[in-house]
Amino acid sequence: MKKILPLLLFPFMLSSCICSKKIKDLAYADGGGKNLLDIYRPNNKDKLHDVIVFIHGGSWDTGKKDTYWFLGRNFARKGKVFVAINYPLAPDAQYQEMGYDCANAVKWVKENIKQYGGNPDKIFLMGHSAGGHLAALINQDPKYFAKAGIKNPIKGVVLDDPFGLDIDQYLKTQINTGDKYVPGFLKVFSTDEKAWKDASPMYKIDGIHNPYMMFVGEKTFPAIKQQTPIFEEKMKAANKQVSLEVIKGKKHIGMITQMIFGCNKLYDRINKFTRGEK
């Protein structure tokens, strides 16, 4: 199977190369590899395209932009400019520094993406897992874009199986249970309970001024299945625009790896979202 899979993917990868272009390792700040981004753009230069900035997951301590080449190529083939970013990871950084650097990446995109075929007035933010948390956090807490020196330019947010929407609730209920993830999370969010609430998008609903689209795997982690519908309910109660779809049969990692194939239905859902369609 390991030998067959590359052969099956070859036509897909070849057609992706023909329809799109990749610009790799652009620096959005002076932070070495932790502050680099990749751009995937359609070859069509006749118009400016909507932009999707993607924040990867990995429990805030692992992950890198390069892993998500398939998102970039598929979105570019579908007429989007896709930007995958790196950001500092634990234990070298905590959530606030991660958030500030993600906001700086968006600032760079706002100021520079036009020369790569992107529309600086149509920037959308997308994140998976911990990246979903960071996407929601910088969109909802004004201090992140304020420090970057710009107004929030995000037109909409896509959360794919987001983890940590209420990290306060998670840590308070799991800290004494032997949960294997807690020690790593404490390196990200510290032992200060005030920081846990500050880091939780669940308590910053009033800071939402754009629409959200959220996807959750039917077989994902219990915390995600519990917190995401509550987040949706709070948004609706505050008259915010939001949708939530449960994807049958999918676990947490499968929620992003399913998108390796451009025919995956999430692409159509997201493209309609960026066009303002339901």
Side-chain angles (χ1 to χ4, degrees), residues 73-85:
R73 289 183 176 176
N74 285 332
F75 273 117
R77 291 178 68 198
K78 296 174 183 295
K80 307 297 181 186
V81 172
F82 184 86
V83 182
I85 72 170

Side-chain angles (χ1 to χ4, degrees), residues 91-140:
D92 297 327
Q94 293 187 328
Y95 75 95
Q96 286 189 338
E97 183 181 346
M98 298 177 194
Y100 288 133
D101 277 14
C102 289
N104 279 326
V106 174
K107 177 184 179 180
W108 187 96
V109 170
K110 174 70 175 176
E111 295 176 347
N112 295 278
I113 203 63
K114 191 172 184 179
Q115 63 183 293
Y116 300 98
N119 187 342
D121 297 321
K122 291 292 294 293
I123 299 174
F124 296 83
L125 197 55
M126 177 180 176
H128 170 252
S129 192
H133 162 266
L134 289 170
L137 185 66
I138 68 171
N139 183 63
Q140 295 172 221

Side-chain angles (χ1 to χ4, degrees), residues 21-95:
K21 180 179 179 180
K22 178 181 180 181
I23 303 95
K24 184 175 174 59
D25 290 338
L26 297 173
Y28 67 82
D30 186 18
K34 69 178 183 179
N35 292 135
L36 299 177
L37 56 81
D38 295 340
I39 298 174
Y40 299 79
R41 55 160 298 169
N43 282 334
N44 177 9
K45 300 179 181 178
D46 295 337
K47 65 174 184 177
L48 295 180
H49 304 275
D50 294 350
V51 181
I52 297 175
V53 179
F54 179 75
I55 306 176
H56 69 76
S59 298
W60 302 276
D61 63 1
T62 59
K64 58 183 179 179
K65 61 180 174 55
D66 309 76
T67 303
Y68 301 93
W69 60 268
F70 56 91
L71 290 176
R73 289 183 176 176
N74 285 332
F75 273 117
R77 291 178 68 198
K78 296 174 183 295
K80 307 297 181 186
V81 172
F82 184 86
V83 182
I85 72 170
N86 278 347
Y87 56 91
L89 302 172
D92 297 327
Q94 293 187 328
Y95 75 95

